[in-house]
Amino acid sequence: MKILAISLLRLGDCIMHGPAIKALKQRYNDCEVDLLVNEQFLFLESMMTDVDRFIGFPRKELQQLSGKYESQIFEPVIMLENFVRNLGDRYDIVVNLTQNRLSGYLCSLINANEKIGLCLDSDGKPSFGNAWFRYLNEESSDKPLIHFTDIFARGCGAKKVAEIELKRTKSGIEEATAALKGLSTKVLAIQGFTSDERKNWGDENFAKSIQYFLRIHSEFSVVLLAAPSEEGVVRRFAKECQSVGVEARPIVCSLDGALSILDNCEILLTGDTSIKHLASATKCKIVELSVGPSVPQKTGAYSEGAIIVAPRMSCSPCAHSGACSEVKFNCHESIPPEAISMILSQVVLNNRLGLKDIANEYSDLFRIFWTQLSEMDIWTLTEIGKNGLAEEIQQKVRVSGLKLMLDGSHLKFISSCGSEGESIERSLLHKDEANSYDELKSMLSGLEDELFGEEEILTHLKFELGRVFRAGFEGKMLSEFDEEMSLALRKSRLLQRVPVTSKATNLKGTSKSDQFLVLRRTQNFISSAGNLNELEKKLVRSIKNKVLER
Amino acid sequence: MVEISFSRTEKPILKYDGKLLCSGRDPELEARRWIEKIEVRQSNIMVIGVGCGYHLKSLVDRFENINVIGIDSSNVITGMKKNIWKDVLPKRIQLIDRCELKKELVKRNLRSCLRHGFQVEVFRPAISSRLLDFSELYEFLLGRTEEGLKFLLWLMEDYGSVLLDKSGKPALRITKSDPVSIVDVRKMAKNSALAEEKKLILNIMGELVR
């Protein structure tokens, strides 16, 4: 069997797609997986596992030809046609791991028996292949629950979490050996720049945090990592470090070189960069600064025990495209360098309680998150800080409930809520916070009550919707239902996070057939919310039972 | 008026209205240098400016799998053929009088070789004194004018059969002063009966230029 996976975003995204490709390999025995990437990332061939062949998509060339006045207007069209023709009919399955319009159209264009992921027909009508990819499309909240890597991997059939794996190359190892020569065995790596200035915390901030960190941990050497295109920037950064008395070695290296360097580093401080995803494939500890438009819940470091620091600001994270709405980058300023140096120090010392103290001290400025990968078989992000237990339970129940629903557990006669609840209980980072099991039990009961309250709202909505259907969409009844629905959407936290785009709105004034369609969608929406509610209740009960067993 | 002369390297060269159509020092070196700047992307290359022909000959000699179509005014073509190539046209080279390009027979001949695409290049030394004369032709061949777009759509039957109306005009009126772009073709295709596959290709192009 031959599979083509499409990964046409940036470097970091390609690396994040590793677990999805692994899932394909495990799901379809003896399959061959080709990976379509933007041509400039073909060098990943030497690093990514599970891919049999890399194919370069000539995006830059196509864009240049399309935008160049001197090129004949059909030249890029023919080039693209030839490219697609060359892909031929050799694939049984095409998997779109990119989720944008371009890849959606391309996915439709390539001949294959089965398509997984976003496919768009020429009118832009989508199909998704399964619930995970549909969720990816419909998830629009500012507090997403599931990491992109998990969505893609589960969408490709993964049942267990898989870490990001990358191959080391001989040249990368040699590059690392030469670059780290003469440094102490303990190395702090910094990669502070991305192409989006909103994501760059700033040279001065980085330099100061290193300065403070080295006062306590003088045994560390510091390296500043940069790609060849960033050489000028990293030299400037090294000078900034020098100006505060910090000797930091700038290292301009290839990606495989960077991977081997990270293998030899104890800790990495970085922003939302591809280096962060590389570090996820090593034992190097990660401290990620999630400023600007970075959404840690979607693209945070996909590893166990990484620390993510995110500003506590109303505008954070900002929109993916567009400029900062403020006069200056307030989110950068809300994270003081001394706090980062303390966080680095606590991470080096493996002191989670110390991190909790820092989180509490700076709770008005930023939040500290801890990532977990293995316990619940899905990546989770837990905020460290006071009163964290109730929030952590709630968060993990939500993630788990959604995961079970998207996997179709609610349709199975025996769901896996019992074992899932046990996993949640095992994974609780703030378990020690509860003074007694009674306290923990009462927290769970509170959550259960909340879910019963949600159930009442849903039952009421179902009843009202049934009346509207029975009355043949009678005008007054429609208006009443519209109001009920709007009220429920404001009141119910569950309804707010069910990933469906079309909710019952604008019922008035539309034709009967349109009203029917909207109401059917609303019915599905309420039904999804009901399934989610049911799963979450089961999970809470399972955690409670586990607690009672003690 | 085309006159013959010789370069310093003793190669026959042409003058048009008293101006040289290629280098008077070393036309072959000039041709080689011109080729270095060409990025061959298609198997058919239309070259505006036939000049003394050295650059066309070098192009087919350098790239094995390409066909070259030289376009110029008829007297330059005749002069060049007679005086330099001695009426023996090198293989894979066609010469077309620019005035004949819009003639049905010439167009039909071109269709079979250009339907799989072509790129347009300009040999400036040959047309430097006639730049204005050729600028319209250049835009036409690139498809940047309504007439040019019509010509290209006509060449590419799969698109043209749907996107040209009965009178042979593009189905979308191009009224703006901006040059025609692929976005205009995409607009034309939107509600047309164009094959789904072609529409998808145009949609991808639209996404790439967004």
Side-chain angles (χ1 to χ4, degrees):
Chain A
M1 176 178 278
K2 288 212 78 168
I3 300 175
L4 177 72
I6 303 174
S7 175
L8 294 179
L9 290 175
R10 285 160 300 181
L11 186 58
D13 299 287
C14 295
I15 298 170
M16 281 205 301
H17 291 151
I21 295 162
K22 183 175 273 306
L24 289 171
K25 281 273 186 183
Q26 284 168 352
R27 185 174 167 188
Y28 304 99
N29 287 336
D30 300 327
C31 69
E32 273 179 46
V33 179
D34 290 355
L35 184 65
L36 179 65
V37 294
N38 289 320
E39 237 166 27
Q40 67 266 34
F41 302 137
L42 279 175
F43 62 85
L44 280 172
E45 192 160 13
S46 60
M47 297 174 72
M48 280 185 78
T49 56
D50 299 305
V51 180
D52 294 284
R53 191 169 73 119
F54 274 73
I55 302 170
F57 180 68
R59 178 196 282 261
K60 265 193 177 169
E61 204 177 341
L62 285 167
Q63 272 172 331
Q64 276 165 1
L65 277 177
S66 316
K68 201 166 117 187
Y69 180 83
E70 291 79 12
S71 71
Q72 189 251 94
I73 64 169
F74 276 98
E75 247 196 278
V77 172
I78 289 167
M79 190 180 181
L80 182 60
E81 282 186 347
N82 289 340
F83 176 79
V84 174
R85 199 171 300 124
N86 287 339
L87 288 177
D89 296 331
R90 69 184 103 135
Y91 296 107
D92 300 288
I93 301 174
V94 175
V95 185
N96 185 0
L97 301 174
T98 311
Q99 195 79 10
N100 62 13
R101 281 171 192 271
L102 188 147
S103 64
Y105 293 129
L106 192 61
C107 193
S108 290
L109 206 52
I110 301 166
N111 280 333
N113 300 332
E114 191 184 343
K115 310 270 173 93
I116 303 174
L118 178 69
C119 260
L120 290 170
D121 73 8
S122 64
D123 294 325
K125 200 175 153 207
S127 63
F128 301 99
N130 64 46
W132 282 95
F133 285 99
R134 181 177 287 279
Y135 165 72
L136 183 63
N137 193 58
E138 289 169 348
E139 165 56 65
S140 57
S141 72
D142 55 353
K143 283 181 191 158
L145 288 170
I146 302 183
H147 197 281
F148 277 168
T149 303
D150 281 324
I151 296 176
F152 287 124
R154 295 217 161 234
C156 289
K159 294 291 168 218
K160 296 255 171 218
V161 86
E163 288 178 8
I164 291 173
E165 283 175 21
L166 294 168
K167 288 184 276 188
R168 273 66 177 168
T169 64
K170 197 174 164 233
S171 61
I173 294 168
E174 283 167 3
E175 209 178 327
T177 311
L180 298 173
K181 204 173 175 184
L183 295 180
S184 63
T185 49
K186 291 191 167 186
V187 181
L188 161 68
I190 312 275
Q191 212 291 353
F193 7 87
T194 72
S195 53
D196 185 345
E197 61 166 350
R198 294 174 299 164
K199 288 184 183 177
N200 296 336
W201 189 43
D203 292 359
E204 201 185 327
N205 286 334
F206 274 112
K208 279 186 185 165
S209 58
I210 307 167
Q211 183 193 16
Y212 302 145
F213 173 77
L214 290 179
R215 280 183 194 160
I216 310 163
H217 299 275
S218 53
E219 73 277 19
F220 270 80
S221 298
V222 181
V223 296
L224 312 175
L225 300 179
S229 61
E230 298 165 331
E231 187 164 359
V233 191
V234 79
R235 303 263 172 235
R236 191 192 65 206
F237 183 20
K239 274 189 188 160
E240 182 72 47
C241 291
Q242 237 169 10
S243 72
V244 292
V246 171
E247 275 308 314
R249 180 182 290 184
I251 300 177
V252 177
C253 56
S254 63
L255 200 73
D256 45 345
L259 178 66
S260 295
I261 289 171
L262 288 168
D263 275 331
N264 291 289
C265 293
E266 178 147 348
I267 184 165
L268 167 74
L269 174 63
T270 184
D272 185 15
T273 61
S274 51
I275 291 292
K276 163 187 86 181
H277 298 301
L278 277 193
S280 298
T282 70
K283 296 261 182 284
C284 177
K285 293 166 184 161
I286 304 168
V287 175
E288 177 187 344
L289 297 165
S290 183
V291 291
S294 317
V295 184
Q297 289 87 349
K298 284 179 179 173
T299 58
Y302 192 78
S303 59
E304 182 79 42
I307 296 297
I308 301 179
V309 183
R312 194 185 288 278
M313 301 191 68
S314 57
C315 63
S316 177
C318 48
H320 187 65
S321 51
C324 176
S325 59
E326 305 295 316
V327 183
K328 53 185 178 176
F329 297 128
N330 291 336
C331 61
H332 297 187
E333 291 185 8
S334 72
I335 304 176
E338 62 272 20
I340 292 301
S341 69
M342 286 193 273
I343 291 171
L344 287 171
S345 181
Q346 297 309 320
V347 173
V348 166
L349 298 169
N350 283 325
N351 184 4
R352 206 189 302 153
L353 283 175
L355 284 172
K356 195 173 165 185
D357 290 340
I358 300 168
N360 289 338
E361 192 183 334
Y362 290 93
S363 61
D364 54 332
L365 291 175
F366 59 79
R367 302 189 297 174
I368 302 178
F369 295 97
W370 179 279
T371 66
Q372 283 173 289
L373 200 57
S374 49
E375 283 291 3
M376 285 171 58
D377 254 328
I378 195 160
W379 183 89
T380 54
L381 197 59
T382 304
E383 186 173 349
I384 302 172
K386 57 186 167 192
N387 307 323
L389 184 59
E391 209 173 303
E392 186 185 358
I393 294 174
Q394 203 172 50
Q395 173 78 359
K396 286 184 171 170
V397 165
R398 284 176 183 178
V399 170
S400 211
L402 187 57
K403 178 181 83 173
L404 290 172
M405 190 174 84
L406 294 172
D407 271 342
S409 280
H410 59 290
L411 304 170
K412 292 174 191 159
F413 185 62
I414 299 171
S415 75
S416 43
C417 288
S419 54
E420 197 69 36
E422 278 181 29
S423 307
I424 296 177
E425 198 270 343
R426 264 199 318 270
S427 76
L428 292 175
L429 289 171
H430 291 86
K431 212 164 12 186
D432 305 336
E433 256 180 34
N435 294 324
S436 63
Y437 279 122
D438 283 343
E439 200 181 323
L440 186 54
K441 240 167 55 187
S442 93
M443 267 179 205
L444 290 164
S445 299
L447 185 55
E448 211 175 2
D449 289 346
E450 200 183 298
L451 290 168
F452 275 116
E454 298 275 8
E455 192 184 9
E456 269 177 36
I457 297 174
L458 293 174
T459 311
H460 177 69
L461 281 178
K462 263 189 212 167
F463 175 75
E464 290 297 321
L465 188 61
R467 279 179 61 206
V468 175
F469 271 116
R470 281 193 297 276
F473 320 131
E474 189 264 321
K476 195 179 163 220
M477 215 170 262
L478 265 178
S479 303
E480 279 173 11
F481 178 72
D482 214 10
E483 276 166 31
E484 293 269 4
M485 192 70 200
S486 307
L487 187 70
L489 281 169
R490 279 199 299 275
K491 255 176 36 183
S492 160
R493 285 200 283 180
L494 180 78
L495 284 176
Q496 284 162 17
R497 63 195 155 83
V498 173
V500 175
T501 44
S502 48
K503 290 164 188 171
T505 47
N506 302 323
L507 284 169
K508 297 163 207 163
T510 49
S511 69
K512 283 245 168 188
S513 60
D514 285 344
Q515 282 169 352
F516 179 74
L517 279 176
V518 173
L519 285 170
R520 278 305 297 268
R521 279 206 289 263
T522 307
Q523 198 174 29
N524 290 339
F525 169 63
I526 295 171
S527 159
S528 296
N531 294 334
L532 196 57
N533 181 270
E534 199 54 43
L535 286 167
E536 289 184 3
K537 275 191 311 197
K538 282 183 187 169
L539 286 169
V540 174
R541 259 181 245 137
S542 161
I543 304 171
K544 250 172 112 177
N545 289 341
K546 189 75 194 161
V547 171
L548 282 173
E549 275 173 24
R550 300 193 173 190
Chain B
M1 177 69 179
V2 178
E3 299 164 74
I4 186 155
S5 170
F6 285 90
S7 68
R8 287 193 197 170
T9 52
E10 310 270 300
K11 292 283 172 193
I13 53 173
L14 299 176
K15 278 183 182 174
Y16 182 76
D17 282 348
K19 292 198 173 145
L20 280 173
L21 295 180
C22 62
S23 165
R25 288 177 176 226
D26 188 345
E28 288 177 324
L29 178 66
E30 178 190 55
R32 284 199 297 276
R33 284 190 178 153
W34 178 75
I35 284 172
E36 276 167 23
K37 289 178 197 153
I38 304 264
E39 184 204 345
V40 173
R41 305 179 295 269
Q42 303 280 334
S43 54
N44 294 302
I45 303 179
M46 291 191 108
V47 181
I48 297 180
V50 163
C52 306
Y54 294 102
H55 59 294
L56 303 180
K57 179 80 172 48
S58 299
L59 201 54
V60 287
D61 288 346
R62 167 79 177 77
F63 301 101
E64 279 178 9
N65 300 317
I66 60 161
N67 296 304
V68 172
I69 299 169
I71 305 171
D72 213 312
S73 53
S74 62
N75 38 10
V76 171
I77 291 175
T78 317
M80 200 280 293
K81 270 193 196 168
K82 205 188 247 176
N83 296 303
I84 298 174
W85 287 349
K86 310 291 181 202
D87 288 328
V88 181
L89 216 59
K91 274 185 186 170
R92 295 186 278 126
I93 295 181
Q94 273 188 70
L95 298 177
I96 294 177
D97 170 5
R98 71 185 185 106
C99 298
E100 287 190 330
L101 195 63
K102 290 174 190 173
K103 283 188 182 165
E104 206 56 28
L105 186 67
V106 177
K107 271 167 61 180
R108 275 186 203 291
N109 288 339
L110 280 177
R111 193 186 222 173
S112 57
C113 62
L114 295 184
R115 68 201 318 168
H116 300 301
F118 65 91
Q119 69 184 78
V120 186
E121 299 296 338
V122 179
F123 184 65
R124 284 187 178 269
I127 57 163
S128 57
S129 61
R130 300 171 291 159
L131 272 177
L132 271 179
D133 291 352
F134 281 93
S135 65
E136 195 195 326
L137 175 71
Y138 183 50
E139 289 188 328
F140 172 85
L141 288 174
L142 294 176
R144 300 290 174 190
T145 61
E146 189 173 343
E147 276 297 301
L149 175 62
K150 189 175 139 185
F151 173 65
L152 293 185
L153 285 172
W154 180 82
L155 281 178
M156 300 185 66
E157 249 178 319
D158 293 344
Y159 290 88
S161 59
V162 178
L163 301 181
L164 291 173
D165 62 20
K166 280 175 192 162
S167 63
K169 285 208 164 246
L172 184 81
R173 204 103 197 109
I174 316 277
T175 48
K176 58 185 183 186
S177 53
D178 292 341
V180 176
S181 75
I182 199 66
V183 178
D184 295 305
V185 184
R186 189 189 180 190
K187 273 186 209 156
M188 283 161 60
K190 201 169 181 196
N191 294 315
S192 73
L194 192 68
E196 175 75 3
E197 173 195 319
K198 302 283 177 198
K199 279 188 181 175
L200 287 167
I201 290 274
L202 291 173
N203 283 354
I204 294 173
M205 294 314 308
E207 290 304 316
L208 284 167
V209 297
R210 252 149 76 107

